[in-house]
Amino acid sequence: MSNMLVKRGIAVSPGVAIGRAVLFGAENFKVQRHYTSKAEIDAEIGRFHAALDAVCADIEENQRVATERLGSDLGAIFGAHLLMARSPELVGEIERLIRVETNTPERACDIVLNKYAKLFSDLGSRYHAERAQDIYDLKNRLLRQLLGKRRQELSDLAESVIILAHNLTPSETANLKKEFVLGFATEVGGPTSHTAILAGALELPAVVGVGDFLSEVNNGDIVIIDGDRGEVIVNPVESVIAERREAQKKSDANYAALEVDRTAEPITADGERIQLLGNIEFPTETEHCLERGADGIGLYRTEFLYLGRDVEPTEEDHYQAYCRVIDDLGGRECVIRTLDLGADKVPTSNGMFAEVPNPALGLRSIRLSLQYIEGFKTQLRAILRAAAKAPPGSVKIMFPLISSLYEFRQAKMVVRDVMDDLEEAGVPFQREMPLGMMVEVPSAAILADHFATEVDFFSIGTNDLIQYTLAVDRGDPAVSSLYRTGDPAILRMIRMVVDAAEKSDRKVPVTVCGQMSSDPKFLPLLIGLGIRRISVTPHSIPELKAVIRRLTIPKSKDIATHSEWLGLSRGVDNYLQGELFKICPQVGH
Ligand code: PEP
Ligand code: MG
């Protein structure tokens, strides 16, 4: 009988990957019944003892610290834990399950410690219930040691695998080696979470927000990640593997046919030139954008320079990264966004940020830069110096998460300060530097007419704008159905910004750089709303170009008017999907 399992999640990066699973991270894992071969038994016993030693060393350390700070009575609590962990009955029983019944150490610890915990909790008293919790805690520590090793091993993968994890932080995702990772799926994560964006940057098929499923998978199981349909298929039967391979071949051929047009300009059928720029997280992606015919970089998320390192990048690190992008662009436009760092992008566990109640509303992004001026200046110096190599005005600085005019003015003043410092020190830098802002907080959209008198450009960050307008966490799969890109409130915000920019004396240019603009379905709507510049995931460029070349401005305007009239986002989505199919069936299928 087949034990195939199909799970649905959120498709965040297209393509189909088929390979063996590696379960990444131990937290919340239930251990499956899983046996080892006889030849491995001694090694498995050794692995168990190594894990036990590590756990005991941890407990001893806790005991030492507790005794020192709180006295020996409280320190003794850990002494009891230690006795339990080293108990000969417990250790003997786990060893027996590994040796005689050929269970994995994970499975053996799970069985034995669950059994003892249950015996205690069945005794019924509060005291015994607490002891049961201690045993569960011991089990989790052991499992973390046994399974958690895999976290370090991720960087040492030697064969191509599918990564399955409860969660992948942006830095873990950024460090996935493309040679060894075919695709990934996570239990948590939302459609525009940073992990999802990185999957797109790495061009790895990915599905997030699958919900609990890791307990039903073993390391080494064959898994399909279908990043087009948002499916994870564990232990697929042969016919399903063949069907998905076929579908992938067709979609590759379709994509290749669209890519042929890479040198064609993104001009609508009635002659309107649309600026089609790329979003990048790493300098190496500039090439991906140019290969696909991008006009330049519309969003360089520089915070990714920080991910996966323990020390802050120096001015030279920043400078080298920017020079690389600027050199590759050969004079084309390059919008460098200053650090958009915060606890929402960097896990608190790496110590860079303290745990805060609501990181999305906390000290992130430009707020952090303005509090930590020295770091901000370091980055600005590097940008201004690197931009000296580019034609004046082609490199632009963009500030993220601006929520008030005051904030924009402050940021602008810091740029002026840095220019003065460079001038004084005789360091060459770019003086002609347009300064713009992301519109990703509702207050910025509402006051766009005020901002338009001071900024050189706007870039609408729909990922955050949706999150803050609809009060829906962009990374939380529990509310992903409420994260509605086509919501009337979002359409109205975009229209407000375009109108304010158009009415301004300076005709401030407006780009859309959130994920909305990478989805071909929304493109006619955006153009109909007056958008003429989009900055997108590199992979989506050929599709978007194909749609642009088949559109006309009057048709786009009709589509925008009708969408605004529809009111409900679900209706908007269906309508736009239907229109896309009519305009460009090869993309809208
Ligand atoms: C956005 O919020 O839409 C955006 C482009 O920025 P990020 O996804 O990096 O927050
Ligand atoms: Mg944002």
Side-chain angles (χ1 to χ4, degrees):
M1 205 184 70
S2 150
N3 57 347
M4 181 169 95
L5 170 79
V6 182
K7 288 287 194 185
R8 270 177 209 292
I10 305 165
V12 290
S13 182
V16 173
I18 305 174
R20 296 211 173 266
V22 165
L23 302 181
F24 178 54
E27 259 57 45
N28 301 329
F29 275 27
K30 290 188 205 104
V31 177
Q32 281 291 290
R33 189 173 177 75
H34 192 57
Y35 299 101
T36 74
S37 75
K38 288 223 155 71
E40 288 172 335
I41 284 176
D42 283 336
E44 290 293 74
I45 296 266
R47 206 157 65 81
F48 162 61
H49 277 285
L52 184 61
D53 289 346
V55 169
C56 289
D58 243 22
I59 302 175
E60 275 162 11
E61 178 58 15
N62 287 343
Q63 180 176 23
R64 190 189 61 75
V65 173
T67 307
E68 212 172 87
R69 299 216 183 126
L70 308 168
S72 54
D73 281 358
L74 289 170
I77 292 174
F78 293 99
H81 288 185
L82 213 49
L83 277 178
M84 183 171 72
R86 293 277 187 210
S87 130
E89 291 82 39
L90 217 126
V91 173
E93 205 168 330
I94 292 172
E95 279 185 350
R96 192 186 65 76
L97 282 187
I98 301 173
R99 195 172 288 289
V100 183
E101 298 189 17
T102 63
N103 279 288
T104 59
E106 288 87 343
R107 172 79 180 147
C109 290
D110 198 46
I111 294 174
V112 172
L113 290 158
N114 278 347
K115 184 182 96 179
Y116 278 97
K118 185 158 185 327
L119 284 176
F120 269 96
S121 65
D122 283 352
L123 292 177
S125 76
R126 203 169 129 202
Y127 171 82
H128 289 113
E130 279 166 9
R131 297 296 70 75
Q133 279 314 316
D134 290 344
I135 298 175
Y136 283 129
D137 182 50
L138 174 62
K139 180 189 84 171
N140 286 336
R141 283 163 177 264
L142 280 166
L143 289 181
R144 215 172 289 137
Q145 280 297 328
L146 288 163
L147 295 163
K149 285 268 182 284
R150 295 194 188 101
R151 281 203 178 264
Q152 284 120 51
E153 284 165 13
L154 252 199
S155 51
D156 311 328
L157 288 173
E159 58 167 332
S160 301
V161 295
I162 303 274
I163 301 290
L164 303 178
H166 175 65
N167 190 16
L168 285 176
T169 62
S171 61
E172 284 165 344
T173 315
N175 285 322
L176 293 178
K177 292 212 180 83
K178 230 191 136 183
E179 313 91 272
F180 301 126
V181 178
L182 299 166
F184 71 81
T186 57
E187 293 190 322
V188 300
T192 61
S193 56
H194 298 109
T195 299
I197 289 169
L198 279 167
L202 297 167
E203 307 199 347
L204 287 173
V207 178
V208 303
V210 181
D212 292 348
F213 79 106
L214 293 176
S215 58
E216 298 170 74
V217 193
N218 287 315
N219 271 311
D221 282 351
I222 296 286
V223 172
I224 300 178
I225 303 288
D226 191 327
D228 298 311
R229 300 190 208 175
E231 283 177 353
V232 181
I233 308 175
V234 183
N235 295 317
V237 293
E238 268 313 314
S239 58
V240 170
I241 297 184
E243 181 242 317
R244 295 301 160 111
R245 282 218 166 102
E246 196 47 39
Q248 177 62 17
K249 244 196 244 163
K250 270 199 199 137
S251 119
D252 284 350
N254 201 1
Y255 191 80
L258 294 171
E259 265 197 315
V260 170
D261 257 0
R262 81 175 56 140
T263 51
E265 279 196 88
I267 299 182
T268 61
D270 52 351
E272 182 86 22
R273 178 69 159 84
I274 306 297
Q275 289 295 313
L276 185 45
L277 303 136
N279 291 349
I280 61 166
E281 289 72 31
F282 311 108
T284 47
E285 288 179 90
T286 314
E287 221 175 284
H288 302 175
C289 297
L290 296 180
E291 274 165 13
R292 286 160 180 153
D295 288 310
I297 301 302
L299 169 63
Y300 177 7
R301 292 180 162 103
T302 57
E303 56 277 8
F304 287 92
L305 204 59
Y306 274 65
L307 299 183
R309 27 163 114 216
D310 301 327
V311 288
E312 263 193 60
T314 59
E315 181 177 328
E316 193 56 22
D317 294 331
H318 281 284
Y319 177 74
Q320 292 302 338
Y322 307 148
C323 283
R324 169 139 189 220
V325 175
I326 288 168
D327 287 345
D328 285 354
L329 283 172
R332 294 178 185 84
E333 178 174 352
C334 180
V335 180
I336 303 182
R337 182 175 73 180
T338 60
L339 294 179
D340 189 8
L341 271 180
D344 60 329
K345 276 190 186 165
V346 179
T348 46
S349 59
N350 90 347
M352 204 183 273
F353 295 102
E355 206 150 328
V356 290
N358 194 337
L361 302 181
L363 187 62
R364 59 169 283 210
S365 205
I366 193 68
R367 303 169 183 183
L368 187 70
S369 295
L370 289 174
Q371 259 201 29
Y372 175 44
I373 292 281
E374 273 322 303
F376 191 31
K377 285 188 169 176
T378 300
Q379 177 175 33
L380 291 172
R381 257 196 309 273
I383 300 175
L384 291 167
R385 283 174 50 215
K389 303 167 116 215
S394 64
V395 176
K396 305 174 182 183
I397 294 179
M398 176 158 75
F399 304 121
L401 210 81
I402 293 287
S403 58
S404 72
L405 261 178
Y406 179 65
E407 217 164 31
F408 181 77
R409 287 178 190 157
Q410 273 186 306
K412 202 167 161 175
M413 257 160 50
V414 182
V415 177
R416 300 284 166 240
D417 273 2
V418 173
M419 284 185 173
D420 289 348
D421 291 347
L422 289 170
E423 177 89 64
E424 215 170 289
V427 177
F429 69 96
Q430 180 58 261
R431 285 155 214 274
E432 206 173 309
M433 180 62 72
L435 300 180
M437 62 180 268
M438 301 271 305
V439 179
E440 51 184 348
V441 180
S443 60
I446 293 165
L447 293 180
D449 51 341
H450 288 267
F451 282 106
T453 62
E454 304 198 18
V455 303
D456 293 321
F457 60 92
F458 285 133
S459 192
I460 305 180
T462 49
N463 303 339
D464 277 315
L465 188 63
I466 298 168
Q467 152 164 281
Y468 295 125
T469 304
L470 303 180
V472 176
D473 185 335
R474 65 193 263 192
D476 183 351
V479 287
S480 65
S481 63
L482 303 176
Y483 187 91
R484 298 175 304 253
T485 306
D487 194 279
I490 304 304
L491 308 194
R492 192 172 294 181
M493 292 262 177
I494 297 173
R495 201 180 266 290
M496 279 168 65
V497 178
V498 173
D499 285 352
E502 244 166 39
K503 281 191 197 126
S504 68
D505 295 342
R506 310 157 75 216
K507 298 271 174 275
V508 173
V510 185
T511 308
V512 175
C513 68
Q515 292 302 102
M516 181 182 193
S517 58
S518 298
D519 183 340
K521 165 172 92 231
F522 289 110
L523 183 62
L525 164 71
L526 291 176
I527 293 180
L529 287 171
I531 295 293
R532 295 292 179 268
R533 293 169 48 88
I534 53 172
S535 189
V536 303
T537 308
H539 189 266
S540 63
I541 292 173
E543 286 188 338
L544 294 164
K545 201 184 278 188
V547 178
I548 292 170
R549 292 178 62 78
R550 286 161 182 81
L551 261 184
T552 62
I553 298 297
K555 177 69 190 164
S556 313
K557 284 187 175 162
D558 285 350
I559 290 175
T561 310
H562 190 74
S563 304
E564 287 177 301
W565 172 81
L566 275 171
L568 283 182
S569 68
R570 186 188 296 213
V572 172
D573 279 5
N574 291 339
Y575 166 68
L576 292 179
Q577 192 61 50
E579 288 302 307
L580 178 63
F581 185 75
K582 286 190 244 162
I583 295 162
C584 190
Q586 49 282 58
V587 173
H589 55 83

